[in-house]
Amino acid sequence: MSAGVNLKELAAELKLSPSTVSRALNDSYEISEETKKKVVSMAEKLNYQPNPFARSLRENKSKTIAVVMPERMSSFFAKVIDGIEEVTQQHGYHLLVYSTHEDVEREKKIVNLLMNGRADAIVMSVSSQTSDISHLTRLHDRGFPLVFFDRICPDIPTTKFITNDYESSFEGTKHLIQQGCRKIAFLMLSKELSITKERYRGYLDALKSAGLSPEPSLHITCAHEEEKNIEAIRNMLLSKERPDGIVSSVEKLALATYHAVKRTDIKIPEDLKIISFFSNLSIAGLLTPSLTTITQPAFSIGEECAKMLIKKLTKPRQPDLPNQVISIPSKITIRSSTIAV
Amino acid sequence: MSAGVNLKELAAELKLSPSTVSRALNDSYEISEETKKKVVSMAEKLNYQPNPFARSLRENKSKTIAVVMPERMSSFFAKVIDGIEEVTQQHGYHLLVYSTHEDVEREKKIVNLLMNGRADAIVMSVSSQTSDISHLTRLHDRGFPLVFFDRICPDIPTTKFITNDYESSFEGTKHLIQQGCRKIAFLMLSKELSITKERYRGYLDALKSAGLSPEPSLHITCAHEEEKNIEAIRNMLLSKERPDGIVSSVEKLALATYHAVKRTDIKIPEDLKIISFFSNLSIAGLLTPSLTTITQPAFSIGEECAKMLIKKLTKPRQPDLPNQVISIPSKITIRSSTIAV
DNA sequence: TTGTACGCGTTATCAG
DNA sequence: CTGATAACGCGTACAA
């Protein structure tokens, strides 16, 4: 099909044995400089490319890392992958990328497929449906290198990368309160998710420390279709208990809120202030009014995941990935959507 | 590390030879139903997973497709990949994904790495810098299955998937003219790109058929940093030759235009109308005013690319990918940014 | 119906 | 310094 020559043919051309050629190409100390030169130049001339599968079979590693995440159409995940790729590419690693589309069954299938060694490690952010984590436990129990980011599994003892969810949610909520909000809604993906729990906790604690009490009807969980989310938010905005502030724990629901507001007479920030965890800064600035964001360090999170794995995979006798949560802080950028008027 | 048992161990457990087990698992006609049952159930019990590299080495195929594209932070490319994955996953194929970041050098490196057989085929959209296409020619000349989408290489005789660039650009420009525009600007990525050329041609022909003449100072090429694009567009908007309409041949520059307009007193659509090739419909509706779009069928494009390749890869003696351009039409959605007032 | 032997392309071990 | 040989795990032609 595609390839040029293989090792044996290259060796024949050079009138050397395959093993000598292999060593020369791998820059072994036991080969003379002279033959190394000859071998390398002939390899280039004949465009020799080592067969990755033969090598993987022999060495029992694939030089490949798998990324499993809930969706692609999100600037957060896109940036994380960019960060991962930036690091892995420098080390000659390849990236298999999978989207679960927020579906646990798909997530399980993908994870099970990856257990056969096709990838040397997995970087993962779980689906919003994931509550049974047996597929992930099994993976980890077998010693498969696994790191989580953003939507983590606290119960699996490995390294996880997150942003300071609790604190930034607390600060974001506090900011709304300082701007005069008294009835603050909270928008979330599923309640199962680690990020939801932490961000919710931050929100609740901020309310509490201001003497405000949470109102259950103002806590909205994400549905599958965008349209349903928009309508749910709109209904909330028009209800008796209507909020004067919103904390959105996820990008998608902030956009849904803007859509919902468009369908009412409500004005941001006059009648309603909103802050959201968000990664697409260009869009945040273009929304009308521009959106106050809790900006997650997506690219850095990706880089850190990759660095951690590369260290584990390239150093010979590396210990297991430590059971720790590494937090990279978000930054709140105040724009028009929360300005008191 | 990770795996369970291998074929030999599984065979030993069953007191059968590896070949029998192999055949049983591959549902060979020469194995009795009875032993098949036994083998399969034991395989499940011991969680047998065939080693993908041994198999790839043996069969000389990887069950992997590579996707090479210019950037990840674009709803267009994200949707295309979703479409590709939808099809490939059903056929048990895996996806290696690479971003060139619009850098030819990176593109070359990636393509060269892929020549060693790590992937069975490549789906590709070239970088805006790509003018020397020798790396791609070489790939194709070796018989490597390759399809292009969106940003194609016309000179490489293989299958390409695009949208009806010329026609939709023509129609989009015509729409602006009908709404009263007389001085229409054209925003593009690099002039080298296939999509630029086609969309530009459609734009020019629409002007011509309305008796309008193009104004070179209104043709803007994309720079690398977003900020530069914004400033370039702003300067144009404030110049003597200022346009009353804009055709943006790419999503990114439509957003830059909105940013630029924010920095002036210009009003859309009163003083300036804008239409853009665009894929993120949710965002298009949220911009103020909402953006009239030429909506590219990104997901379908991805699906079609994948179907074409799967057919080529799975049918035994499939002919080469035909040298043809397959066009899937875009749809113009008129929103506020082009409403005459 | 099942088992034996070989090869896919590498790299590592052991001789020379 | 270099060459012969075995092994990674699988699938298949050939034998029984």
Side-chain angles (χ1 to χ4, degrees), chain B residues 116-283:
Chain B
N116 62 10
R118 189 177 283 271
D120 294 337
I122 299 185
V123 185
M124 160 132 210
S125 201
V126 302
S127 92
S128 52
Q129 287 181 9
T130 304
S131 59
D132 168 23
I133 58 166
S134 55
H135 54 301
L136 301 170
T137 313
R138 200 159 65 235
L139 200 64
H140 181 262
D141 286 350
R142 296 201 179 183
F144 199 101
L146 172 64
V147 305
F148 290 99
F149 70 94
D150 197 54
R151 307 177 179 192
I152 66 178
C153 284
D155 294 343
I156 296 181
T158 185
T159 306
K160 298 127 192 159
F161 294 89
I162 58 169
T163 190
N164 56 346
D165 293 293
Y166 173 84
E167 292 81 4
S168 38
S169 184
F170 185 94
E171 290 302 323
T173 308
K174 200 170 102 185
H175 169 64
L176 286 185
I177 296 168
Q178 285 167 345
Q179 300 299 305
C181 297
R182 287 298 169 266
K183 298 182 69 171
I184 301 176
F186 185 82
L187 311 184
M188 57 192 132
L189 287 164
S190 124
K191 288 186 177 167
E192 302 296 336
L193 285 177
S194 59
I195 49 170
T196 302
K197 288 176 184 160
E198 286 301 292
R199 293 171 190 179
Y200 189 56
R201 214 161 54 76
Y203 155 84
L204 286 181
D205 281 3
L207 290 190
K208 195 155 136 197
S209 70
L212 299 174
S213 51
E215 164 58 44
S217 68
L218 298 184
H219 300 159
I220 289 196
T221 301
C222 191
H224 225 83
E225 300 114 71
E226 191 184 19
E227 186 54 31
K228 284 200 179 161
N229 291 329
I230 296 173
E231 277 307 304
I233 293 169
R234 178 166 168 275
N235 289 338
M236 175 184 76
L237 293 177
L238 298 177
S239 72
K240 278 203 308 286
E241 295 293 342
R242 65 160 72 177
D244 56 8
I246 289 186
V247 175
S248 169
S249 66
V250 55
E251 196 159 314
K252 186 195 290 190
L253 291 174
L255 296 176
T257 302
Y258 272 79
H259 275 293
V261 166
K262 267 198 145 183
R263 302 182 186 176
T264 69
D265 291 332
I266 293 168
K267 293 269 171 261
I268 303 177
E270 291 83 349
D271 311 319
L272 177 72
K273 296 180 180 51
I274 174 167
I275 183 171
S276 180
F277 283 82
F278 215 83
S279 292
N280 195 333
L281 301 193
S282 178
I283 294 294

Side-chain angles (χ1 to χ4, degrees), chain A residues 142-153:
Chain A
R142 296 199 180 186
F144 198 101
L146 172 65
V147 306
F148 290 99
F149 69 93
D150 197 54
R151 307 178 178 191
I152 66 177
C153 284

Side-chain angles (χ1 to χ4, degrees), chain A residues 91-123:
Chain A
H91 293 265
Y93 276 75
H94 297 253
L95 241 41
L96 285 168
V97 184
Y98 302 84
S99 165
T100 64
H101 300 268
E102 303 279 15
D103 177 349
V104 216
E105 292 311 318
R106 255 169 118 150
E107 181 178 293
K108 283 185 186 173
K109 262 186 213 140
I110 293 165
V111 165
N112 288 333
L113 278 174
L114 287 170
M115 282 206 286
N116 62 10
R118 188 176 285 271
D120 294 337
I122 299 185
V123 185

Side-chain angles (χ1 to χ4, degrees), chain A residues 7 19 22 48 51 54-55 58:
Chain A
L7 196 60
S19 49
S22 172
Y48 168 74
N51 180 312
R55 190 173 267 181
R58 187 65 234 260

Side-chain angles (χ1 to χ4, degrees), chain A residues 53, chain B residues 51-63:
Chain A
F53 305 117
Chain B
N51 180 312
F53 304 118
R55 189 173 267 178
S56 291
L57 182 57
R58 183 67 232 266
E59 311 204 320
N60 197 29
K61 53 177 128 166
S62 60
K63 280 266 185 179

Side-chain angles (χ1 to χ4, degrees), chain A residues 258-329:
Chain A
Y258 272 77
H259 275 292
V261 165
K262 267 199 144 180
R263 302 181 187 176
T264 70
D265 292 331
I266 293 168
K267 294 269 171 265
I268 303 176
E270 291 84 347
D271 311 320
L272 178 71
K273 297 183 178 49
I274 174 166
I275 183 171
S276 180
F277 282 83
F278 216 83
S279 292
N280 195 331
L281 301 193
S282 178
I283 294 294
L286 277 186
L287 291 171
T288 310
S290 62
L291 173 66
T292 293
T293 58
I294 300 170
T295 310
Q296 301 153 280
F299 191 85
S300 303
I301 288 178
E303 283 182 313
E304 294 305 319
C305 288
K307 281 184 200 163
M308 177 66 75
L309 283 180
I310 292 289
K311 193 168 75 178
K312 161 79 179 161
L313 295 176
T314 54
K315 309 273 194 254
R317 280 239 128 289
Q318 201 66 12
D320 283 353
L321 295 162
N323 180 17
Q324 60 181 332
V325 178
I326 297 175
S327 173
I328 306 174

